[in-house]
Amino acid sequence: MMFPLARNTLRSLKIRSIQQIRARQSHRKHSPDFHDKYGNAVLASGTAFCVVAWIVTTTQIGIEWNLSPVGRVTPKEWNDK
């Protein structure tokens, strides 16, 4: 059972499905904007920049990452006192 206010609000909203919006947009002609022209290039260059920045960070700035202690840590003798 829905509250009357919520029911009236949902009725008054003009909700169009994604398919309806796509159908309307496909009928109109539009000139290419910035995103159509340069969107993929901007995305690719940003991705390349981030990858290169992480590679430089992880390899060149001298951080000792110390990922695994295997082979570097030797156990101490146990004291039974």
Side-chain angles (χ1 to χ4, degrees):
M1 183 169 161
M2 230 185 219
F3 294 110
L5 178 63
R7 184 176 45 217
N8 289 337
T9 304
L10 288 175
R11 282 185 189 160
S12 68
L13 289 175
K14 300 271 186 196
I15 300 175
R16 296 188 298 187
S17 71
I18 294 173
Q19 292 168 342
Q20 289 173 336
I21 293 170
R22 271 314 266 181
R24 287 182 187 235
Q25 288 177 347
S26 66
H27 291 300
R28 67 182 176 108
K29 299 286 184 187
H30 73 286
S31 61
D33 61 354
F34 177 83
H35 299 287
D36 293 331
K37 289 182 182 179
Y38 307 110
N40 290 335
V42 170
L43 182 65
S45 63
T47 302
F49 175 80
C50 289
V51 167
V52 168
W54 275 106
I55 289 172
V56 168
T57 300
T58 57
T59 60
Q60 300 296 317
I61 64 173
I63 294 177
E64 184 177 332
W65 293 98
N66 203 13
L67 296 175
S68 174
V70 174
R72 287 183 265 163
V73 176
T74 57
K76 295 181 179 178
E77 292 294 324
W78 183 257
N79 275 336
D80 281 335
K81 290 185 179 179

